[in-house]
Amino acid sequence: MTIRNTRTGGQILIDQLVAQGVERVTCVPGESYLAALDALHDSPIDVVICRAEGGAAMMAEAYGKLTGRPGICFVTRGPGATNASHGVHIAMQDSTPMILFVGQVDTGMREREAFQELDYKAVFGSMAKWAVEIDRPDRIPELVARAFRVAMQGRPGPVVIALPENMLTETAAVADAMRIEPAVSWPAPSDLERVGAMLASAKAPLVILGGSRWTDEATKSIARFAERFGLPVATSFRRASLIDADHSHYAGDLGIGPSPGLKARIDNADVVLLIGGRMSEMPSSSYTLLEIPTPQQKLIHVHPGSEELGRVYQPALAIQATPAAFAAAVETLKPSGAVAWKGEAAKAHADYLAWTDKARELPGTFQYGQVMTWLRDRLPKDAIVCNGAGNYAGWIHRHHRFHSFAAQLAPTSGSMGYGVPAGVLAKRQYPDRVVVAFAGDGCFLMNGQEFATAVQYDAPLIVIVVDNSQYGTIRMHQERDYPGRVVGTQLKNPDFAMYAKAFGGHGERVERTEEFAPAFERALASGKPAILHCIIDPRAISVGKDFVPQAKAR
């Protein structure tokens, strides 16, 4: 290993990112890490300048979802770091590799509550896999290499690295670290034998796919495995792109309000093979689908993190393996004879198609469900669909069908404001793919300023803002739990089409269902980032039901 010439801490840091194959970083600039910014000037790394740290961090998290390598985000100290915490929390709950670099006060000023000083280990200690502060430039290669490994290995997640300002300008002569590839845990041959035996004795097995550390090839391997064994395959909350929705064995997704048919299949299953996922609150219908601590079904849990095996559910068989490794290993697994559940996968897929096919009629002139089914048929199979959190997302999960790996970018953590920054990053990463970002009116304005980033980088995504002039999810729960006492959920919105035009993008207002398709085609043809401002009746509160407001909002 050759030791390079003496470099500043900033130069050493950016050289480590180059060595790790980082192709782009997101940032909001700050004086606390000017030396690192200066080093980026001469590097091949694409620097995506964002308008708020929350959006920058969410873009980095989206990069991790798309590529499996850590998304890199730079923010300044204090308020810059706390603004970025949204993205860190998403990366933790979504098991996404990400590294957040944060400027820090001069080491000689610590413990004085200097300007914007924070203890980042304390602030992010419960939110990230690891938080560290680098005091000396000669330790940068060591600690950055470790950060990449921690972010990717086991259950992936975020790492936060604080960079004291003076450390970045000090010099050192130190060798670069090698490129890090995460360790891969494989299932033991005896584990595969037990999987085969448990399936052979099953009467009604089911596979659930979730989590991270998948590859495109791994999803195809699992599809072939399901075909050989005739297994119905479901996906976990917001992981629908882990199998082609057209696959004859796909049974649907376990999100908020899963189909009654799929829920019944899990209730009646005797063997559940959970690959990669955790079956946390959302996919488990608030921890009701599987009993805790010991499910009535025989649970085979495959997960790359040993700490997740038996954390909530005690499995009959725990396998510490990455989804990709497990998928490769089961390529050799074949059924020992005729399966007892023959035909169940086809029935499950038919149930899924029936559940998602037609949209129900909604109050108002804009039929959101019909728009979703139109988009389902119109979008290319490799289109990337992004969204944040809110009732508006229910129509996406219910009616859209994902066909390509990593085509769904959405926070399993339920964080609002995610769709637009994720869409900007996706379009920057894959300029030849159609990218559509959905947002509710409340969700959009949490990071809608990143539309300016899309315009700056000529990233022509299409943003669909579904506007019902309220925080719809909260209003729905409010009407249910406190009828007649509505407060804090009503919104008065700007003209989002004009908002798009003000930034230099394409914008249109859509009030009727029949207006949507031509507006979408014009947005696509414009070659600009676009916003379609869609007005939906407030009574169309969710994909499953509508409601009549009980009281005037305060």
Side-chain angles (χ1 to χ4, degrees):
M1 186 177 292
T2 302
I3 296 181
R4 298 272 303 270
N5 294 332
T6 299
R7 297 167 284 171
T8 67
Q11 291 169 329
I12 296 170
L13 174 62
I14 302 308
D15 284 345
Q16 303 321 298
L17 300 187
V18 173
Q20 296 303 328
V22 172
E23 54 190 328
R24 60 177 38 89
V25 302
T26 64
C27 77
V28 175
E31 72 276 10
S32 59
Y33 68 95
L34 280 176
L37 280 173
D38 181 71
L40 281 166
H41 182 277
D42 299 322
S43 82
I45 296 174
D46 175 38
V47 180
V48 180
I49 307 162
C50 303
R51 299 307 179 101
E53 290 87 359
M58 290 180 186
M59 286 189 201
E61 194 279 343
Y63 180 92
K65 274 193 173 81
L66 286 168
T67 68
R69 299 286 296 184
I72 307 297
C73 180
F74 279 86
V75 299
T76 197
R77 60 199 182 201
T82 53
N83 285 345
S85 65
H86 314 163
V88 174
H89 182 258
I90 294 168
M92 190 68 225
Q93 290 224 325
D94 288 34
S95 304
T96 306
M98 172 187 169
I99 301 175
L100 177 70
F101 290 99
V102 183
Q104 174 63 305
V105 301
D106 188 294
T107 54
M109 298 181 185
R110 286 184 303 195
E111 302 297 334
R112 295 176 178 170
E113 197 180 346
F115 181 63
Q116 299 181 336
E117 180 182 1
L118 282 177
D119 180 344
Y120 295 106
K121 291 182 181 180
V123 171
F124 290 100
S126 66
M127 198 184 304
K129 283 188 73 177
W130 183 42
V132 65
E133 188 163 315
I134 304 179
D135 283 344
R136 293 168 22 198
D138 62 329
R139 295 201 66 189
I140 291 174
E142 169 202 349
L143 295 174
V144 170
R146 179 178 168 186
F148 271 80
R149 192 169 291 281
V150 170
M152 291 188 288
Q153 215 157 262
R155 175 188 168 188
V159 172
V160 178
I161 300 180
L163 307 168
E165 191 170 354
N166 61 307
M167 184 276 297
L168 290 174
T169 58
E170 292 169 1
T171 60
V174 63
D176 294 334
M178 66 174 66
R179 178 183 168 95
I180 300 301
E181 298 294 342
V184 177
S185 48
W186 286 75
S190 59
D191 289 336
L192 293 178
E193 289 178 10
R194 288 188 63 189
V195 170
M198 291 173 73
L199 289 176
S201 63
K203 297 281 190 290
L206 180 77
V207 179
I208 302 173
L209 311 180
S212 56
R213 298 198 72 176
W214 288 89
T215 63
D216 186 25
E217 180 52 40
T219 64
K220 291 179 171 59
S221 293
I222 290 297
R224 291 190 291 268
F225 165 68
E227 290 166 10
R228 289 195 304 277
F229 282 82
L231 297 166
V233 179
T235 52
S236 187
F237 181 50
R238 294 181 170 171
R239 306 292 191 183
S241 59
L242 291 177
I243 186 170
D244 188 338
D246 288 341
H247 193 282
S248 59
H249 290 49
Y250 184 46
D253 71 303
L254 289 167
I256 300 171
S259 76
L262 180 54
K263 186 178 183 302
R265 288 187 180 279
I266 295 175
D267 289 340
N268 297 324
D270 56 354
V271 174
V272 171
L273 173 56
L274 174 60
I275 307 173
R278 298 185 293 121
M279 283 298 281
S280 56
E281 182 180 354
M282 292 298 104
S284 69
S285 295
S286 297
Y287 299 104
T288 62
L289 287 185
L290 301 177
E291 291 183 9
I292 298 172
T294 306
Q296 64 177 6
Q297 306 90 339
K298 291 179 181 178
L299 176 64
I300 305 171
H301 193 182
V302 180
H303 198 281
S306 61
E307 73 282 1
E308 294 299 332
L309 296 169
R311 180 183 184 183
V312 179
Y313 311 99
Q314 297 305 318
L317 174 58
I319 300 176
Q320 186 183 356
T322 65
F326 182 79
V330 297
E331 286 279 22
T332 60
L333 203 60
K334 293 181 175 59
S336 56
V339 296
W341 56 91
K342 184 178 181 181
E344 286 304 309
K347 292 178 184 177
H349 186 60
D351 288 346
Y352 161 72
L353 293 177
W355 174 251
T356 60
D357 190 31
K358 293 182 180 179
R360 71 181 187 90
E361 191 77 12
L362 301 170
T365 59
F366 179 77
Q367 295 296 311
Y368 185 22
Q370 292 179 23
V371 164
M372 282 306 312
T373 57
W374 180 84
L375 279 170
R376 179 178 71 201
D377 298 331
R378 168 62 181 84
L379 291 176
K381 287 188 179 294
D382 68 346
I384 299 173
V385 175
C386 316
N387 63 269
N391 271 18
Y392 72 89
W395 280 267
I396 306 168
H397 304 328
R398 175 74 173 267
H399 296 297
H400 188 63
R401 294 172 185 165
F402 293 91
H403 303 285
S404 298
F405 177 65
Q408 183 179 37
L409 291 179
T412 69
S413 69
S415 184
M416 293 177 71
Y418 181 87
V420 173
V424 173
L425 188 284
K427 193 64 179 176
R428 186 73 173 161
Q429 188 72 16
Y430 297 110
D432 295 331
R433 294 172 69 174
V434 173
V435 176
V436 180
F438 287 84
D441 45 322
C443 185
F444 176 79
L445 279 180
M446 291 193 176
N447 275 308
Q449 72 280 350
E450 299 306 339
F451 190 80
T453 307
V455 173
Q456 179 169 344
Y457 292 98
D458 296 318
L461 80 162
I462 298 177
V463 180
I464 298 173
V465 177
V466 183
D467 179 1
N468 62 3
S469 296
Q470 59 190 355
Y471 287 117
T473 305
I474 311 307
R475 178 67 181 275
M476 179 182 70
H477 295 317
Q478 196 170 57
E479 292 275 1
R480 181 195 64 201
D481 296 340
Y482 301 94
R485 298 180 61 80
V486 176
V487 60
T489 53
Q490 206 69 12
L491 299 173
K492 185 174 182 179
N493 290 316
D495 184 330
F496 292 114
M498 292 301 294
Y499 181 100
K501 293 175 182 177
F503 282 112
H506 178 89
E508 295 194 38
R509 183 180 175 93
V510 178
E511 297 184 7
R512 304 184 66 84
T513 309
E514 60 269 22
E515 296 170 353
F516 181 84
F520 183 88
E521 299 295 355
R522 287 191 293 269
L524 202 60
S526 74
K528 298 179 180 180
I531 294 176
L532 300 183
H533 183 183
C534 302
I535 310 302
I536 189 170
D537 192 299
R539 293 171 295 170
I541 197 67
S542 80
V543 68
K545 62 182 178 180
D546 51 65
F547 82 106
V548 177
Q550 300 296 309
K552 185 177 180 180
R554 289 186 58 212

